[in-house]
Amino acid sequence: MKEFQAGRARKSLGQNFLVSEGAIRKIVEALRPGEGLPIFEIGPGKGALTIPLAEKGARIAAFEIDRDLAALLREACAGWPQVDIVEADIREVDFDAEAGKRGWRRYRVAGNIPYLLTSTILLKLPFSAGCDGAVIMVQKEVGERILASPGERNCGILSVFMQAYLGISEVAKVKAGSFMPPPKVDSVVLEFRPGRKDGAPAKPGEFLAFVKKGFSQRRKKLLNVFRSGDGPGRHVGVPGGREAAEKAFAAARVDAGKRPEELGLDEWFRLFEQLGRPGDIKE
Ligand code: SAM
């Protein structure tokens, strides 16, 4: 591979390249390339993950937004015809559609990603029917929040939503010094496996809107969040005012005085049953 100009990391694109052999090995192992499933890689950069995966025979389609990096990596991977380096913005990529074009039925997703896009990228996973698992690096504090059980103080939208549809575990902790240039924060690698929980709503999009609405005013009691039809996710909520809202909470067996971070996953599911689609509310 042609030498990449020193100091030419583009901060705006979150270019912190992984240089720790130990972290690279753990990510590659977690992707289990030996099982033969193809891999979509997000932001391959200089190929820290792409090249060891290619060496293990993995079929890879890697999406890199930086034209120069994509060209360099394409050249470096020329010896592996099963590796496709695509110049693209990951925000525009639909994994299922890409898999269809390539004749892939199931696939895994890998990424040491730009942290500014963490939520955008993670939220794609529950909507990607062909995704058989993902191994993604996130900022340490974000990882802790995603792993927090619903009902714990630091849980949030990503914890509730991702845990409803996926099994999540920690693969490795990665210190800032494992990257070049080092970012200001430590990181953690998470593995996401298919694993829709019993009771999780069939349509993730509706549940995501509902959870976002629930967390839209964290300090308020949920009764007050859901009884008004204003604000984000205003299509959810109770049309019949306070009394109807109280009935719905009672039917869901959820304490209407709780705040969003105090609800367990099953409580979220039951509340969604009652309030997720206003047409379904039984008065
Ligand atoms: N995976 C490489 C590694 O581990 O060394 C690079 C990691 S670096 C943290 C993130 C990479 O994502 C960079 O190569 C950056 O150019 C790329 N990137 C940033 N925004 C992107 C986007 N919207 N779509 C695709 N790639 C993007």
Side-chain angles (χ1 to χ4, degrees):
M1 187 173 183
K2 271 185 204 152
E3 202 30 63
F4 191 71
Q5 277 178 312
R8 190 217 162 269
R10 292 169 71 182
K11 217 173 163 184
S12 62
L13 293 178
Q15 290 183 349
N16 303 98
F17 301 105
L18 193 57
V19 291
S20 152
E21 293 294 329
I24 292 170
R25 186 176 36 77
K26 285 181 190 165
I27 296 172
V28 169
E29 273 171 14
L31 286 159
R32 305 192 299 277
E35 292 178 7
L37 279 186
I39 295 173
F40 284 127
E41 188 187 350
I42 304 165
K46 298 196 243 176
L49 304 176
T50 327
I51 291 173
L53 284 166
E55 283 170 343
K56 291 191 181 298
R59 283 172 290 163
I60 305 169
F63 302 98
E64 171 57 59
I65 200 169
D66 184 319
R67 168 173 298 187
D68 299 336
L69 272 184
L72 279 173
L73 188 57
R74 198 171 294 126
E75 211 179 302
C77 292
W80 293 293
Q82 82 281 12
V83 177
D84 186 12
I85 308 296
V86 185
E87 186 193 325
D89 182 339
I90 195 63
R91 286 169 289 193
E92 316 275 310
V93 173
D94 175 328
F95 290 132
D96 284 344
E98 284 290 335
K101 278 193 231 164
R102 291 160 203 273
W104 296 356
R105 209 176 60 79
R106 307 283 297 163
Y107 54 84
R108 294 202 176 118
V109 175
N112 170 18
I113 60 173
Y115 288 161
L116 271 177
L117 298 184
T118 300
S119 296
T120 310
I121 290 168
L122 292 184
L123 288 175
K124 280 177 185 277
L125 299 177
F127 295 94
S128 302
C131 181
D132 184 81
V135 179
I136 311 265
M137 180 99 70
V138 301
Q139 183 180 332
K140 180 172 162 263
E141 291 72 20
V142 175
E144 284 166 359
R145 256 187 284 137
I146 293 171
L147 288 169
S149 295
E152 274 176 20
R153 197 182 45 81
N154 63 340
C155 79
I157 296 168
L158 278 181
S159 344
V160 173
F161 181 65
M162 300 297 285
Q163 289 182 33
Y165 296 98
L166 301 163
I168 311 171
S169 53
E170 183 181 303
V171 172
K173 291 184 177 27
V174 184
K175 289 276 179 207
S178 303
F179 298 86
M180 197 61 121
K184 290 203 173 69
V185 294
D186 288 336
S187 299
V188 62
V189 179
L190 297 181
E191 180 183 3
F192 300 85
R193 295 170 308 281
R196 187 176 145 204
K197 303 286 180 308
D198 282 347
K203 292 189 178 163
E206 289 182 357
F207 187 55
L208 178 59
F210 183 72
V211 175
K212 280 186 176 170
K213 170 83 176 169
F215 277 98
S216 62
Q217 299 168 80
R218 271 186 101 111
R219 285 156 187 270
K220 274 199 182 177
K221 294 176 180 173
L222 281 167
L223 178 73
N224 295 325
V225 176
F226 281 113
R227 62 182 262 234
S228 80
D230 302 330
R234 58 186 174 277
H235 57 287
V236 294
V238 185
R242 188 179 180 93
E243 207 179 311
E246 280 172 348
K247 271 193 197 164
F249 273 83
R253 289 173 283 124
V254 173
D255 176 350
K258 281 190 174 175
R259 292 181 170 74
E261 67 275 14
E262 295 174 320
L263 246 54
L265 215 42
D266 287 338
E267 290 180 302
W268 277 107
F269 296 161
R270 295 201 301 270
L271 203 56
F272 176 81
E273 277 282 298
Q274 296 299 323
L275 294 175
R277 288 145 298 176
D280 290 351
I281 293 168
K282 300 153 201 93
E283 300 243 10

